[in-house]
Amino acid sequence: MARPRKPLLSRARIIGAAAALVDAEGLEAVSTRRLAAALGVSGPSLYNHFRTKDEILEAVADAVSARVDLSMFEGDPDWRGALHAWAHSYRDALSDHPNIVPVLARGPGRRPAGLRLADAVFGAMTAAGWPPAQATRIGALMRYFILGSAVASFARGFVDDETAYDPADYPHLGQAHLLAERQREVDEGAFETGLAALLDGLALQYEALKETKETA
């Protein structure tokens, strides 16, 4: 019997199957047994490509990071505009895969796409004149904000039952039951409001930094 032209298994196939499982059921649903069944192979064959379940999840996380656009950091960009565009691209990448956020929150570790992301942000900030220590803090701050926004929906945290929030107990939540049906408007509006406030604050620090350098 002739051997198949293509191997039954590859890293890309395993990552794709694991990503689908994480999206549908969460991190705890991923196991070699479940993945092997989804891929139509035996469990031990997965170990030819990944040593552990954690390695598979790390690869899924890096695949999501690889979707983030970094082109805005090329050349000599306006640092504020670049951070704004990057933040939206990062959040868009995460919005389809919120269940993988806890893995991304651990930091880039050795993940290639995650490291390229960190390198691009730090490089652009230092090139714009931010001191290295502050550039590091800006990268961390942006990650906290973006990953936090992708963990869960604020709007969906309220039930759509108008009897759930008794005015006697919660006098200011009379319209809270309407938030769930306005999820996109509420959550995206909150993200943009927070991002603008964050960048406004950094801009003030940047101007103060420039003045200090000019008077030194």
Side-chain angles (χ1 to χ4, degrees), residues 82-105:
L83 283 181
H84 185 275
W86 169 69
H88 276 281
S89 177
Y90 201 170
R91 184 171 183 268
D92 288 345
L94 297 179
S95 65
D96 294 331
H97 309 282
N99 290 339
I100 200 65
V101 170
V103 179
L104 288 164

Side-chain angles (χ1 to χ4, degrees), residues 101-139:
V101 170
V103 179
L104 288 164
R106 299 172 191 166
R110 296 172 183 248
R111 298 193 300 267
L115 290 169
R116 284 193 293 271
L117 188 155
D119 183 72
V121 175
F122 181 80
M125 295 305 101
T126 53
W130 287 99
Q134 186 66 351
T136 299
R137 296 185 192 106
I138 290 171

